[in-house]
Every structure is written in structure tokens, then in C-alpha cells.
Amino acid sequence: MNITDGRQAFPAPAKLNLDLRITGRREDGYHNIESIFCLIDLQDTVYLKPRDDGKIILHNPVGGMPQEADLSYRAASLLQKYACNPDGVEIWLDKKIPTGAGLGGGSSDAATVLLVLNRWWQCGLTTPQLIELGTTLGADVPFFIFGKNAFARGIGDRLDEMDIPKQWYVIVKPLAHVSTAKIFTHEDLTRDSASSIMPTFQNLQPFRNDMQAVVFKEYPEVWKAYSELSRYGFALMTGSGACVFTACQDRNSAYNIYRQVSGLYEAYLAEGLSKHPLLSV
């Protein structure tokens, strides 16, 4: 890892939901989903620096929010009770993943903090234990802790590794910030998709996103971006939006589309990953 002034840099990759279906509403108010989660090489960098006084300091919370409200700070604070020593940490976030986009940036940052500090602080938590801890922070955090492309059930915490062909993705972010709560409580949201019996990348096609129609209705900017990207191939919204994406089999094809749409929208060219970069360290 790179070291700058005692800080070490760790990757926090984004994700795409290649398919997302809502299979029911739970008694606790949450929804059960089934989704294909795919890691991509668009990533934030989380810088961490050990402290020996037990303090947790987040130097640049996202959006200027109080540090206590940021997922990265909350992750460190939650894990600290399992530490062998009363160690602390300083955190800096170098954000490259757009926020409010359905790409899981904040959740990925939090998962990276949990994965690294579990080692640094000698907490000794297993991956399933970290996933259980991550679930209390957000529905996407367990996937990033799991660290491999996956088919997810439940609220996103029941994960099975899934083989996804190597693909490149063109991602478009419209000028919209979608409220996930607004979409999940919308009266027109599809909540009764059938559960998959034998979920594979092939069997689940054609892919869909059960939240997409409601988002298009409430946020016309997302619909416009989807319509533009659909000119070049099959497009889909990721998560609860606002980003939409299309997949390509090779980089050249993706780059040609990226060149066309990047003049109209904030756009990203990303390669699919098979596993979280931290798993290679």
C-alpha cells in the first residue's frame, strides 16, 4: 500500500446491480430483494492512519455532514468495541464514486474501513461476523465485505458467489438525486416478483430493475439519461438510481459509447472485477 505521512491507502470499489427484483415487504418495513451485484474498478480511496489514543477522526465527511453521521466513521466506531487494544484511527476519503447514484460508494468506504481495521485492531472477526456487523450500517455493506460478485437475497445480506462474464460498462449519472426511501414507499413499486429457483447470470436474463419504472416516473432526468444510453444498447438503472449503465464485451466498444455520452452527461467507463482488490492483498 502507498504510504503518505503515515497514511495508508486502501481501495473501495463501486458496484452495479445487473439485475434487481423485489420479492416482498418484510414485517420490519424493509424489502426482500434478489439482485446480481457486480464489482467495478471505479473506486474511492480510503486513507487510514493509526492512532494510539483511541480517537476516531474523519477529516473530510462526505457532503460536509457531521463525522458521526458518515458511514466510514460509524463503521470504525462500531468495530472499536471488538478491538484488542484501545487504538484509534484517522480517516480521509478520496471520493471518485458519485454519491446518491446507486453505485454503493458510501457502503464500500465503510466496508473497507471494517476489513482493514479488523486486521489492524486484531478484532478477529470472521467474514460472516463482519457481514452481520455491516448489515447494521447499510444494505450494500455486506456485499463489499463478501468481496466477490454475488447473487444477493434478503435485504442484501444473504450472498452466494456468482460467475459474471468479463464486461466493460458505460455509466451515466443524470442531474438527479434519487431518494431511496421515496422509491421504496411508492404505491406503484413492484413488490411481488417471483423468487428465483436456479439463479445464474444466464437464467436471469433478460435483466430488469423493479425500481426503475417508479424512478423514471418521479425523476424524468433519469428517464432522459436512460433513453439516451438505450440508443447504444440495452440499458438499465443500478440500485435505486440515479445512474444508468450499459454493458459491452470489450473496452473499445465501451469507449466509443462513452465518447458519445460523456459530452451530454457525467459519465464513467469501468471494467468489471471478479473480486474486491483487498482480497488480493
Side-chain angles (χ1 to χ4, degrees):
M1 293 298 176
N2 297 327
I3 300 178
T4 306
D5 299 330
R7 292 178 286 169
Q8 296 190 41
F10 299 92
K15 60 83 178 172
L16 291 172
N17 298 94
L18 303 187
D19 186 85
L20 198 164
R21 309 180 189 203
I22 303 173
T23 58
R25 178 180 278 175
R26 298 154 50 108
E27 291 184 0
D28 59 10
Y30 288 95
H31 289 74
N32 285 320
I33 67 163
E34 292 187 351
S35 185
I36 299 176
F37 281 88
C38 177
L39 291 160
I40 56 176
D41 67 354
L42 173 63
Q43 65 182 38
D44 293 341
T45 302
V46 179
Y47 291 91
L48 300 174
K49 181 179 179 180
R51 294 180 65 95
D52 58 9
D53 59 3
K55 292 183 179 179
I56 299 171
I57 300 173
L58 174 59
H59 288 275
N60 57 338
V62 176
M65 69 174 70
Q67 67 169 4
E68 292 79 9
D70 192 283
L71 281 180
S72 297
Y73 178 92
R74 290 171 56 199
S77 181
L78 191 63
L79 187 66
Q80 195 175 41
K81 67 182 70 174
Y82 299 94
C84 289
N85 300 303
D87 295 328
V89 68
E90 294 181 58
I91 306 170
W92 293 261
L93 303 175
D94 181 10
K95 296 294 295 180
K96 295 294 187 293
I97 304 171
T99 58
L103 300 174
S107 295
S108 186
D109 297 342
T112 290
V113 168
L114 289 174
L115 289 166
V116 175
L117 294 186
N118 186 48
R119 297 200 307 261
W120 281 14
W121 291 348
Q122 301 177 40
C123 300
L125 297 184
T126 63
T127 296
Q129 288 173 323
L130 283 174
I131 286 175
E132 184 177 356
L133 204 62
T135 302
T136 67
L137 294 169
D140 288 340
V141 178
F143 164 66
F144 291 109
I145 294 172
F146 184 71
K148 293 165 283 189
N149 293 331
F151 182 75
R153 292 184 174 90
I155 60 171
D157 58 332
R158 293 164 51 201
L159 298 152
D160 294 298
E161 186 173 357
M162 175 172 278
D163 183 34
I164 297 175
K166 189 69 172 180
Q167 297 186 122
W168 287 81
Y169 303 92
V170 180
I171 304 161
V172 167
K173 184 181 185 300
L175 289 174
H177 190 104
V178 177
S179 167
T180 302
K182 179 179 180 179
I183 301 307
F184 269 121
T185 56
H186 201 285
E187 61 181 6
D188 294 335
L189 181 67
T190 297
R191 298 182 173 89
D192 58 355
S193 287
S195 296
S196 304
I197 298 175
M198 296 182 63
T200 66
F201 183 84
Q202 291 75 23
N203 290 350
L204 288 169
Q205 297 190 45
F207 295 144
R208 69 175 193 259
N209 183 332
D210 282 347
M211 288 189 271
Q212 187 169 275
V214 171
V215 173
F216 288 171
K217 179 179 179 180
E218 296 294 330
Y219 299 89
E221 301 93 339
V222 182
W223 162 251
K224 291 176 183 176
Y226 167 83
S227 298
E228 176 64 30
L229 195 56
S230 293
R231 294 173 54 200
Y232 304 97
F234 178 76
L236 199 69
M237 188 180 76
T238 181
S240 59
C243 280
V244 294
F245 69 93
T246 189
C248 299
Q249 302 306 308
D250 59 85
R251 187 185 188 282
N252 286 340
S253 298
Y255 180 69
N256 288 335
I257 298 173
Y258 169 79
R259 287 181 57 195
Q260 298 296 319
V261 299
S262 59
L264 303 172
Y265 291 99
E266 181 180 338
Y268 301 86
L269 180 64
E271 183 179 8
L273 302 174
S274 60
K275 61 182 179 180
H276 197 296
L278 280 178
L279 297 187
S280 301
V281 177

